[in-house]
């Protein structure tokens, strides 16, 4: 007890067991580069090196405007720290092939990009501009929070780093016969920071310093960039210098106000609750250091729902214990007898906590759910022991003697019950993938609780019975006890009569048992299959998509309008909005809203009801498509998709993939089983293509390098210099005046350095000149990709989808397979599911084998315990009735057969066979010890074991009731388990009380016939 309490106090709290694929994301920035330029110059070079790392299960790259993101997912057994070292080595090996103009080297983060943030912060101000806020976040918050253990990445949404922006008017430059390259060269030469040495005199030493660095926009505006006519040309003469951001094509808002958003993501496997607790402790000190006039708000904290969910399960566990003890009291009729299991049950649970602490487990929804469901059958051992001792006391034996005799009679039965029950959990330990790892802790906790219960029932329980129970002559039952006992005796007599009727009709009972088996198999095949139930975590992610040629200003306006619509819902507490290509959005036409709902106690509707209410409103905004989905605790995939499920097609030919992927998209959109079908294929972005006349450019002395430099400086947010501060570095960004840059005609007006040759009197003189691009190039509008996606280094397109109401994932998968077959995709195109759908396919393939393995293991264990090949079949005959009961119950409640429901069916195998074990164990002993016939033995066993059978079944049933009636946080995950257990118990109890005795007699008859054939005397040969 003390060890268990100590272990409980040391157990960390978590939503689920910390099991994640080791995942690392490599990010490289090259501002101004197009997606295909990023794909060729950056992504391909890194992929060639990263793909050679051992233990890599999947590599997915997305090349977007100015950024390359490569996500590496490793095998479950790979240590993430070792993998990170290999990733850094691969990055180092690729440096020689990467562009020298990269402003930042490639960086990696031990984080799953699809994993929702564990903590989201918003920094706002009524007086300070966003640039000042971003400076505070970048220099203070982001760095300090990243140091907290368990943090994988601190992402400042929109990459909002402060910078000095030089905005130049190309027309004014032309009037001075200057170009953008002249400005860049002047700034680079004027803003330097390097070592200057020191002067070491006879007496003193002095460091040499100089005002070689420009630190303010005013200093840059006063910079002399050239001389004309003996007068200086300053930067302020041709443009302005302003304080701004590195990237102006991103934006973020919090409840409609401009903000700097900070998303904190955890490392795979890190404990969310412990990490957030450390982050909050860090924030208390950081908040005081923020500039005056700023407000730091915690937008979303995933641990709030986790703690509420764990507290809900803890309350469910308490309710289950109370209900089980109440059942025992009604059947045993005395408070003294009830005290014994009332002590054994919590002691078994507390003892389990101690072992969990030794194994490094956590208090989470699955481990607590295992203990809730365990309350119904870990008390079975104590019930069987107490009922047997009470029966002997009622026959006249003194309590202590009855305890010794009862323990001797029932000890082997308890060991059989425990060992056979643990055997059920063995196949769960070999489930593969993330789901297998998740439920491995579930199975181990159940097995531990059963073992602790066995030890308690064989030691403490008989001892307490011997000292707490009174002789039958001293018992004075009350009115309630007498009434319940009279009712139960009437029920037992009715059962005895009906059992006699059933035993006289063995053929009918065997037919019923056979039909039950056939019905179970048919219903399992026909039942819709699902993966995991949707959870209400209180957070909704809405991915938005606009036309591919949308501008940043238009996208921002649409996004703000959608955020305003969502924020008006009464269940919504906060809304954050992010637009622009960057960390969270892959393309310019994509946006993301994070909707935080009020706590469950403050809103009437669950997440799905809120989504249903918002859906019509989200469709009212023209030019913007919204894909809402609830954020889940279990995140398996690495793609931050707009919907819950993904299907990826790959091909070695980009052209063939671009042809067939849209056709497959149209086919999937026509399927009634799917909703919100989308794609990450964005090939219709708008481009301004320059067809340069190379011959004319050569005559005018214009090089392709100078053209690229001019375009990059004008439109690429080119980072040309760095300001080094005490705690941060600030980039200097060169661009043309935004008022001019918004006009596509500005490209033709842009001037590039050239030269002209003039021959006078046989002498050729070369003079420099600024040549307008319009004289060198033809500008046309053409479509182009907004992103370039590859999976395992092959071109890939991911189609995402949600399920239509009432459709299971298995049905959707079958529909996609039919659509793909009817479409006739080329054999070179390979399709595969990702994330939840991929894990579902793996679990679906193993479901049948899991059930078969459980049956085989149970048979082997029972065969060893009973030294028989016949009667384990009798015990296993109880399983079909439990299976069909669970499947029918799930069907009645409109649930599919998901992984949680399947676990419930496997648990039922361990629960319902206990009834048969109690009957058959007693019958075999009656035949061996008292010489009864099989019919007499099984009849007496069925009637005498009727009370403990009813007690254990009712205890298991009521132990599962809180899982069904609970509607608090995390109830979605518990509901299928409770329904399957209750449904299976109710039907199997009715059927097996009659079919098990009949099958026992049939097996005994078969054994006798086989024995007669084996021992038949052989005929003597004729002489």
């Amino acid at each position: 007890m003390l060890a268990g309490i100590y272990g409980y106090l040391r157990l960390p709290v978590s939503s689920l067991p910390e099991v994640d694929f080791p995942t690392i994301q490599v990010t490289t920035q090259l501002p101004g580069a197009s997606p295909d330029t990023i794909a060729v110059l950056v992504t391909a070079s890194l992929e060639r090196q990263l793909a050679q790392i051992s233990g890599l299960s999947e590599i997915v790259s997305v090349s977007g405007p100015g950024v390359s993101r490569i996500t590496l997912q490793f095998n479950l057994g790979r240590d993430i720290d070792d993998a990170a070292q290999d990733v850094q080595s691969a990055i180092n090996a690729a440096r020689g092939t990467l562009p020298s103009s990269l402003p930042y080297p490639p960086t990696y983060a031990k984080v799953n990009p699809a994993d929702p943030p564990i903590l989201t912060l918003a920094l706002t101000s009524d007086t300070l501009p966003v640039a000042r806020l971003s400076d505070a976040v970048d220099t203070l918050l982001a760095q300090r929070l990243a140091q907290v253990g368990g943090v994988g990445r601190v992402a400042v949404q929109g990459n909002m780093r402060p910078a000095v922006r030089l905005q130049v008017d190309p027309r004014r430059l032309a009037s001075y016969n200057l170009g953008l390259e002249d400005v860049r060269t002047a700034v680079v030469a004027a803003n330097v920071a390097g070592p200057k040495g020191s002067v070491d005199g006879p007496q003193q030493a002095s460091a040499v310093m100089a005002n070689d660095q420009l630190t303010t926009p005013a200093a840059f505006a006063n910079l002399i960039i050239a001389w004309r006519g003996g007068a200086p040309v300053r930067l302020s003469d041709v443009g302005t210098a302003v304080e701004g951001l590195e990237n102006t094509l991103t934006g973020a808002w919090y409840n409609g106000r401009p903000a700097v958003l900070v998303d904190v993501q955890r490392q795979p496997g890190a404990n969310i609750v412990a990490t957030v607790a450390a982050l909050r402790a860090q924030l208390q000190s950081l908040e005081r250091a923020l500039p005056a006039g700023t407000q730091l708000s915690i937008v979303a904290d995933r641990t709030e729902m986790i703690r509420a969910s764990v507290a809900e399960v803890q309350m469910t566990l308490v309710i289950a214990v109370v209900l089980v003890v109440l059942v025992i009291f009604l059947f045993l009729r005395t408070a003294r007898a009830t005290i014994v299991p009332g002590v054994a049950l919590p002691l078994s649970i507390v003892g389990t906590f101690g072992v969990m602490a030794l194994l490094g487990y956590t208090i989470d929804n699955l481990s607590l759910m295992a203990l809730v469901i365990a309350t119904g059958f870990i008390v079975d051992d104590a019930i069987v022991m107490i009922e047997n001792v009470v029966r002997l006391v009622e026959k006249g034996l003194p309590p202590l003697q009855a305890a010794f005799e009862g323990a001797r009679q029932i000890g082997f039965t308890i060991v059989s019950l425990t060992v056979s029950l643990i055997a059920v959990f063995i196949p769960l330990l070999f489930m593969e993938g993330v789901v297998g790892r998740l439920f491995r802790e579930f199975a181990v906790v159940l097995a531990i609780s059963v073992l602790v219960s066995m030890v308690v029932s064989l030691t403490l329980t008989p001892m307490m019975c011997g000292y707490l129970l009174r002789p039958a002559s001293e018992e004075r039952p009350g009115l309630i006890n007498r009434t319940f006992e009279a009712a139960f005796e009437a029920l037992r007599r009715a059962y005895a009569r009906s059992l006699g009727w059933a035993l006289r009709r063995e053929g009918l009972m065997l037919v019923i048992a056979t039909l039950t088996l056939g019905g179970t198999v048919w219903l399992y095949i026909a039942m819709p299959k699902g993966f995991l139930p949707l959870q209400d975590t209180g957070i909704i992610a809405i991915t938005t998509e606009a036309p591919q040629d949308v501008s940043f200003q238009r996208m921002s306006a649409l996004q703000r309008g959608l955020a305003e619509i969502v924020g008006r819902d009464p269940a919504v507490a906060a809304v954050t909005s992010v637009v622009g290509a960057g960390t969270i959005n892959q393309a310019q036409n994509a946006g993301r809203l994070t909707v935080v709902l009020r706590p469950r106690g403050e809103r009437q509707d669950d997440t799905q009801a809120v989504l249903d209410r918002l859906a019509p409103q989200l469709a009212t905004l023209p030019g913007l498509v919204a894909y809402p989905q609830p954020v889940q605790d279990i995140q398996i995939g690495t793609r931050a998709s707009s919907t819950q499920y993904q299907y990826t097609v790959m091909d070695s030919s980009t052209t063939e993939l671009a042809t067939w992927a849209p056709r497959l998209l149209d086919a999937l959109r026509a399927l009634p089983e799917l909703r919100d079908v989308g794609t990450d294929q964005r090939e219709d972005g708008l481009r301004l293509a320059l067809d340069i006349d190379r011959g004319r450019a050569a005559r005018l002395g214009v090089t392709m390098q100078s053209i690229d430099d001019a375009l990059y400086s004008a439109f690429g947010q080119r980072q040309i210099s760095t300001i080094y501060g005490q705690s941060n570095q600030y980039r200097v960004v060169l661009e043309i005046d935004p008022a001019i840059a918004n006009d596509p005609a500005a490209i033709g007006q842009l001037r590039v350095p050239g030269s002209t040759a003039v021959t006078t009197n046989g002498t050729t003189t070369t003079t420099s000149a600024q040549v307008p691009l319009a004289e060198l190039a033809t500008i046309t509008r053409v479509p182009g990709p907004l992103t370039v996606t590859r999976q395992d280094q092959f071109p890939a397109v991911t189609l995402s989808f949600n399920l239509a109401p009432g459709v299971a994932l298995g049905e959707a998968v079958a529909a996609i397979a039919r659509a793909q077959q009817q479409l006739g995709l080329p054999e070179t195109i390979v399709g595969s599911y990702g994330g939840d759908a991929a894990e579902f396919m793996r679990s679906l393939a193993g479901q049948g084998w899991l059930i078969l393995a459980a049956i085989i293991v149970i048979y082997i264990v029972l065969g060893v315990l009973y030294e028989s090949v016949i009667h384990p079949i009798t015990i296993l005959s109880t399983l079909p009735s439990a299976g069909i009961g669970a499947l029918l119950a799930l069907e009645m409640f409109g649930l599919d057969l998901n992984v949680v429901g399947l676990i419930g069916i496997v648990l039922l195998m361990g629960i319902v066979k206990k009834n048969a074990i109690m009957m058959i164990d007693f019958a075999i002993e009656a035949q061996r010890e008292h010489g009864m016939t099989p019919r007499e033995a099984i009849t007496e066993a069925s009637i005498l074991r009727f009370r403990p059978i009813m007690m254990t079944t009712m205890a298991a049933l009521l132990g599962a009731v809180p899982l069904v009636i609970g509607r608090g946080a995390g109830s979605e995950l518990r509901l299928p388990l409770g329904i399957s257990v209750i449904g299976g118990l109710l039907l199997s109890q009715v059927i097996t009380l009659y079919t098990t005795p009949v099958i026992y007699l049939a097996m005994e008859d078969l054994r006798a016939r086989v024995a007669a054939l084996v021992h038949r005397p052989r005929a003597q040969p004729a002489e």
Side-chain angles (χ1 to χ4, degrees), residues 145-384:
L145 295 180
Q147 299 170 5
V148 174
V151 172
R153 178 172 62 188
V154 179
V156 181
Q157 290 306 339
N159 192 25
M160 292 185 173
R161 289 178 173 171
V164 173
R165 301 185 71 89
L166 309 181
Q167 300 172 345
V168 180
D169 187 338
R171 295 167 300 187
R172 292 158 67 181
L173 273 176
S175 67
Y176 291 103
N177 195 28
L178 295 173
L180 289 172
E181 186 62 19
D182 297 314
V183 177
R184 188 190 72 82
T185 302
V187 172
V188 171
N191 183 47
V192 294
K196 303 168 188 64
S198 62
V199 175
D200 193 8
Q203 302 295 329
Q204 291 179 320
S206 302
V208 179
M209 302 296 292
N211 60 341
D212 54 354
Q213 188 169 226
L214 306 177
T215 59
T216 65
F220 281 96
N222 198 42
L223 175 66
I224 299 174
I225 59 175
W227 290 84
R228 291 294 182 266
V233 179
R234 301 183 186 276
L235 183 63
S236 58
D237 296 329
V238 296
T240 59
V242 297
E243 184 180 356
L245 302 172
E246 285 186 11
N247 187 357
T248 57
L249 298 181
T250 59
W253 296 267
Y254 169 55
N255 288 342
R257 301 173 61 192
V260 176
L261 301 179
V262 181
D263 282 342
V264 183
Q265 292 178 285
R266 68 185 176 106
Q267 290 185 17
N271 183 278
I272 296 178
V273 175
T275 304
V276 171
L279 287 170
R280 280 181 170 271
Q282 188 75 273
L283 284 175
Q284 291 180 357
S285 60
L286 292 178
E287 195 168 3
R288 293 190 294 267
L290 291 174
T294 60
Q295 298 86 42
L296 181 63
S297 305
I298 297 179
V299 180
D301 181 353
R302 284 181 59 195
T303 62
E304 293 177 355
M305 186 59 66
I306 292 173
R307 293 181 186 278
S309 179
V310 171
E312 182 74 17
V313 186
Q314 290 173 328
M315 180 56 65
T316 301
L317 177 60
V318 173
I319 294 173
V321 171
V322 173
L323 290 175
V324 170
V325 173
L326 180 61
V327 169
I328 298 171
F329 174 74
L330 291 176
F331 276 93
L332 296 181
R333 307 182 308 281
T334 66
R336 285 177 172 269
T338 307
I339 290 175
V340 180
V343 172
L345 177 56
L347 184 60
S348 300
I349 294 175
V350 172
T352 304
F353 286 134
V355 182
M356 287 172 58
L358 291 176
L359 295 177
Y361 289 170
T362 61
I363 295 179
D364 53 62
N365 282 295
L366 284 184
S367 61
L368 288 176
M369 192 163 63
L371 292 176
V372 170
I373 205 68
T375 57
F377 54 81
I378 61 177
V379 77
D380 288 357
D381 297 338
I383 287 176
V384 173

Side-chain angles (χ1 to χ4, degrees), residues 380-381 383-385 387-388 410 413-414 416-417 420 862 866 875 878 911-925 937-938 940-953 989 993 996:
D380 288 357
D381 297 338
I383 287 176
V384 173
M385 177 67 72
E387 192 278 337
N388 200 49
I410 213 70
T413 301
I414 290 177
S416 302
L417 292 172
S420 61
L862 292 175
Y866 288 101
I875 296 173
T878 61
I911 298 173
V912 301
K913 68 178 176 49
K914 284 189 169 188
N915 299 345
I917 289 177
M918 284 188 282
M919 285 186 188
I920 293 169
D921 189 63
F922 190 94
I924 291 175
E925 184 179 359
I938 195 62
E940 183 174 351
S942 300
I943 296 173
L944 288 179
R945 298 285 91 189
F946 183 70
R947 182 188 292 271
I949 287 174
M950 291 297 294
M951 289 176 66
T952 56
T953 301
Q989 182 74 351
L993 282 174
T996 301

